[in-house]
């Protein structure tokens, strides 16, 4: 009841913007608060159209943490002279938790509505240590007769963090316990946030499930004590690390003063103090080669299920590392490869005890015997850093003799048992025994090679010259006729020879036409000249008289055969064909 | 007179043939010596063939092998490099060289060979000098053939197609000509050396009095840039330059 007397609503920011529509106000429930208390910050929007304004967004406020928001709205209607006016008020209330002591300012809030911008005034808040209100008196149960009772909250409500050691080696576990000490009736408890254990690897040992207090004496007074959290921390880096503080929200039930007063609860936030831990690097000297980051104190043992087996059979080989330390974080020792004993990839299981720092790591290999013989599974050594003796310790397992006998089944290697051919040694390649020891010829050094280039290159001008000649002749009609003469003659000679075989008078026709056009073309005489003209033209040329006579002779015979009846006979045709051939060969021999 | 001339030629011919068969015999003996692990004798015989003036990649390869067996790493590297100089695509020599290089004290590659460069180098090495010469001349004769055909038969016709093909061929000719000329230059250039002494100190000038720049060990291959009296300016594959004594190394020459 009393507390309501303190709740004075202070209207700080009363920037009443006199607009047609809305007005905005902000206020807090108090301007001076304790660090363990909460501040209520309200934004109130009122006016006829207040319902249209978007909910304001709270900016990040330095040194305060927003824990949540609630909103409410109310409306009133009034009818004056038959005119109805509506008044709507929307308020948003934020719960803010101070982060540290000092004087801070809640910045102005800007709200936009219909192109109008409303800005509220900043509010100054003073945050002090402890509480602004007197703490409620401790529970009656703790009242001691003669003792001077302190009413300070911090004397009656404590959260203490305790570690088992402050100077540790890397990977050496630390156990931190957070304990709540209270002399109040506690209605409820909750963690406000998960602390971040930077630089540690954490394993929670204990987290409470329900409120469970035990009475304990601390500092000469009785307290209700509850273990809030117990965590094993394994430092992963070296140097000075801090175990962060745990934050708790505690609801304390206040005492009732009268029969009708059932009391109420009040919320406080308490934190434990952070603890600095000094973490040392493991010493480098005497560090064993097979050291794999195991820190603590361990035992190692090995067992085999069998020592006498048959080829193709399998047995299990188990390594067991037990003790306390960072069991989860180190690699198990590596088994050397043993020929003809195939170790299937192991099954590694780590069983950690409730205290989170001790347990057993079991490495179980299934081993298949591949060949007959005596094999030794050697002693396996495991090294760790003993934190109590502050030195490296190496422990060995015993070795086993495995006797493999001929089995019923021959071992058939599965595909996984196949291996790539391994290089067993390297050497230079053998000498070359090719006896053809000739000096290798380099073509580029040879004159002949470059001569080919020159010859090839010469082909271009040669072909150009040739092409030019061809072009010149192509425009020369006489040349073309000369070229064609042989073709025409061939054609007629063929005809003539056919007629000779058939003993036909057409032989003479073919012979005359063929010969005269051949001569005309060959001697560049215009075509269609008569036989006389042809003969006189031929006469001008350098044709020997003998041939000339033959030509005249054959032309005459042709005329006779064609125009005189019975002018041809079998013998004549043969003779004339012979004569014709002679003429042709004579002329073709001549250079014209 | 004429008789004596013909006898003389006959003599020359027989001497030549004899010399060849003699070389083959020596070679066979050397092979036998090598197989019976008499490496020193095999080496002497192989070297005598080399003295005949025979330039052959296989011969150099075998000499390199002998030197390796006799633990003369430097000379073995020298001869494998010679074999590769004669025939850049001599695969056994390349493999052996790589192997022998693992026995040297100094790391020999420049270490900064990127993918494109090593690919280019491999491609370049995979062509032998004669193959390049033949490819070049084939492309050249194709071009000539095309040009001649065009001149002779495409007189009045459209010349686009032959011109296009010719252009492409000229492009290839250009590439292969450059490649073969580069190869030819590599073949005759004698600017590389292999260190034969156990170690040598590189100075900043041609005398002991200068500052020590580096120390290299047997088998190191480097470029020779200049010579002054008894000293040579060399450049190591990593880019360091310095003067070393001329008698500590031998040039890779044929």
């Amino acid at each position: 009841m009393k507390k309501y007397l303190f709740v004075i609503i202070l209207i700080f920011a009363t920037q009443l913007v006199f607009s047609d529509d809305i007005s905005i106000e902000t206020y807090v429930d108090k301007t001076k608060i304790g660090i363990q208390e909460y501040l209520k910050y309200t934004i109130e929007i009122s006016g006829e159209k207040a319902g249209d304004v978007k909910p304001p967004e709270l900016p990040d406020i330095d040194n305060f943490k927003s824990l949540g928001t609630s909103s409410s709205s109310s409306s009133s209607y009034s009818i004056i002279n038959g005119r109805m006016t509506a008044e709507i008020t929307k308020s948003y209330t934020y719960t803010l938790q101070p982060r540290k002591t000092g004087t801070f300012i809640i910045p102005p809030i800007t709200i936009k509505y219909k192109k109008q911008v409303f800005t509220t005034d900043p509010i100054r808040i003073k945050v002090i240590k402890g509480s602004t209100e007197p703490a409620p008196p401790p529970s009656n149960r703790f009242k001691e007769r003669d003792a001077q009772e302190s009413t300070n909250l911090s004397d009656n409500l404590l959260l203490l963090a305790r570690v088992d050691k402050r100077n540790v080696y890397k990977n050496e576990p630390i156990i931190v316990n957070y304990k709540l000490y209270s002399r109040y009736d506690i209605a409820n408890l909750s963690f406000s946030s998960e602390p971040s254990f930077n630089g540690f690897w954490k394993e929670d040992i204990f987290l409470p499930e329900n409120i469970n207090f035990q009475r304990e004496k601390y500092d000469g007074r009785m307290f209700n004590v509850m273990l809030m959290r117990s965590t094993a921390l394994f430092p992963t880096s070296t140097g000075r690390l801090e175990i962060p503080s745990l934050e708790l929200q505690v609801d304390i039930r206040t005492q009732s003063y009268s029969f009708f007063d059932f009391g109420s609860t009040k919320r406080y936030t308490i934190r434990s103090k952070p603890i600095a831990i000094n973490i040392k690097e493991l010493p480098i000297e005497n560090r064993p080669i097979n050291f794999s980051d195991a820190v603590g104190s361990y035992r190692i043992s090995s067992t085999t299920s069998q020592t006498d087996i048959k080829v193709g059979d399998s047995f299990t080989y188990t390594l067991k590392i037990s003790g306390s330390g960072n069991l989860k974080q180190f690699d198990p020792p590596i088994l050397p490869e043993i020929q003809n004993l195939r170790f299937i990839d192991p099954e590694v299981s780590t069983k950690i005890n409730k205290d989170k720092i001790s347990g057993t790591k079991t490495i179980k290999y299934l081993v298949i015997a591949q060949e007959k013989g005596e094999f030794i599974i050697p002693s396996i050594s495991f090294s760790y850093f003993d934190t109590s003796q502050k030195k490296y310790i190496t422990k060995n397992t015993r070795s086993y003799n495995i006797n493999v006998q001929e089995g019923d089944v021959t071992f058939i290697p599965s595909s996984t048992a196949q291996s790539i051919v391994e290089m067993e040694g390297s050497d230079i390649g053998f000498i070359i025994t090719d006896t053809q020891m000739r000096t290798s010829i380099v073509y580029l050094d040879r004159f002949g090679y470059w001569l080919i280039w020159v010859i090839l290159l010469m082909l271009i001008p040669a072909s150009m010259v040739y092409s030019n000649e061809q072009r010149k002749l192509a425009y020369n009609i006489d040349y073309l006729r000369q070229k064609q003469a042989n073709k025409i003659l061939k054609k007629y000679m063929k005809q003539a020879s056919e007629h000779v075989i058939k003993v036909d008078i057409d032989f003479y026709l073919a012979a005359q036409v063929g010969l005269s056009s051949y001569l005309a073309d060959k001697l560049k005489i215009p075509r269609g000249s008569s036989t006389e003209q042809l003969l006189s033209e031929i006469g001008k040329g350098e044709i020997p008289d003998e041939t000339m006579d033959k030509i005249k002779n054959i032309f005459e015979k042709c005329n006779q055969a064609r125009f005189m009846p019975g002018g041809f006979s079998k013998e004549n045709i043969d003779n004339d064909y012979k004569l014709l051939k002679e003429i042709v060969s004579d002329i073709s021999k001549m250079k014209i | 007179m004429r008789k004596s001339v013909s006898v003389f030629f006959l003599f020359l011919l027989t001497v030549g043939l004899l010399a060849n068969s003699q070389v083959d015999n020596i070679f066979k003996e050397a092979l036998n010596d090598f197989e019976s692990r008499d490496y020193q004798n095999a080496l002497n015989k192989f070297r005598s063939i080399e003295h005949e003036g025979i330039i052959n990649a296989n011969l150099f390869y075998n000499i390199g092998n002998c030197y390796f067996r006799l633990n003369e790493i430097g000379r073995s590297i020298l001869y494998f490099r010679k074999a590769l100089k004669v025939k850049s695509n001599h695969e056994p020599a390349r493999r052996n060289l790589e192997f022998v290089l693992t026995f040297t004290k100094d790391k020999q590659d420049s270490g900064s060979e990127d993918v494109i460069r090593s690919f280019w180098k491999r491609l370049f090495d995979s062509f032998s000098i004669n193959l390049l010469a033949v490819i070049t001349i084939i492309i050249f004769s194709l071009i000539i053939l095309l040009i001649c055909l065009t001149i002779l038969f495409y007189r009045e016709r459209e010349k686009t197609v032959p011109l296009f093909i010719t252009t492409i061929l000229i492009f290839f000719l250009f590439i292969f000509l450059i490649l073969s000329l580069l190869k030819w230059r590599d073949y005759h250039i004698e600017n590389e050396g292999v260190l034969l002494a156990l170690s040598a100190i590189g100075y900043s000038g041609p005398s002991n009095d200068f500052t020590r720049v580096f120390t290299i060990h047997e088998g190191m291959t480097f470029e020779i840039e200049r010579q002054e009296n008894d000293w040579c300016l060399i450049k190591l594959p990593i880019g360091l330059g310095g003067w070393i004594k001329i008698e500590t190394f031998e040039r890779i020459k044929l």
Side-chain angles (χ1 to χ4, degrees), chain A residues 367-570:
Chain A
V367 191
I368 300 171
Q370 294 182 328
E371 294 269 323
K372 184 179 125 166
E374 284 264 342
F375 303 105
I376 296 167
I377 297 179
S379 141
I380 310 285
S381 64
F382 171 71
S383 302
Y384 65 93
F385 183 77
D386 193 301
T387 47
S388 55
Q389 296 180 53
K390 293 193 171 35
K391 64 176 185 189
Y392 292 100
I393 288 174
T394 302
K395 286 188 175 168
N396 295 310
T397 65
R398 57 165 288 199
S399 65
Y400 292 94
N401 285 322
I402 305 293
N403 187 18
V404 183
Q405 284 164 349
E406 197 83 62
D408 308 328
V409 274
T410 45
F411 177 71
I412 301 152
S414 69
S415 63
T416 50
Q418 282 183 333
S419 59
I420 300 165
V421 176
E422 269 180 47
M423 194 155 129
E424 281 161 17
S426 58
D427 197 358
I428 55 170
F430 195 64
I431 51 167
I432 293 168
T433 50
D434 174 19
T435 48
Q436 287 299 309
M437 274 297 141
R438 302 281 173 272
T439 296
S440 48
I441 298 159
V442 176
Y443 297 152
L444 287 166
D445 285 344
R446 295 290 153 138
F447 175 71
Y449 179 78
W450 297 107
L451 192 66
I452 296 172
W453 278 75
V454 175
I455 291 167
L456 283 170
L457 210 58
M458 294 296 281
L459 280 175
I460 293 178
S463 66
M464 274 166 99
V465 168
Y466 182 69
S467 164
N468 264 339
E469 286 297 309
Q470 291 283 306
R471 192 176 307 182
K472 264 187 211 163
L473 293 171
Y475 295 109
N476 189 340
I477 296 163
D478 286 342
Y479 170 76
L480 275 177
R481 279 179 64 191
Q482 268 192 337
K483 227 180 145 184
Q484 282 166 4
N486 282 319
K487 248 191 219 169
I488 294 166
L489 179 70
K490 244 187 204 167
K491 191 176 124 196
Y492 283 108
M493 284 295 280
K494 205 180 160 192
Q495 274 182 18
S497 65
E498 277 165 15
H499 294 308
V500 169
I501 293 157
K502 286 189 234 161
V503 194
D504 193 344
I505 192 153
D506 285 342
F507 162 74
Y508 290 102
L509 181 66
Q512 196 176 16
V513 175
L515 190 62
S516 57
S517 50
Y518 173 71
L519 286 170
D521 285 346
K522 201 84 185 169
L523 303 171
K524 300 168 192 167
I525 299 160
R527 272 193 200 172
S529 308
S530 69
T531 314
E532 283 75 33
Q533 278 173 323
L534 195 70
L535 283 174
S536 67
E537 282 288 323
I538 294 167
K540 281 179 205 162
E542 295 158 6
I543 293 173
D545 293 343
E546 199 186 333
T547 319
M548 198 65 199
D549 288 342
K550 281 181 191 164
I551 294 168
K552 277 181 188 168
N553 195 2
I554 194 123
F555 277 139
E556 234 166 76
K557 278 192 176 163
C558 285
N559 284 336
Q560 278 176 11
R562 284 168 68 193
F563 304 117
M564 279 161 55
F568 82 96
S569 65
K570 174 95 172 57

Side-chain angles (χ1 to χ4, degrees), chain B residues 44 74 121 148 170 189 245:
Chain B
N44 291 344
K121 208 169 168 293
C148 288
I170 285 174
I189 207 162
K245 276 214 151 178

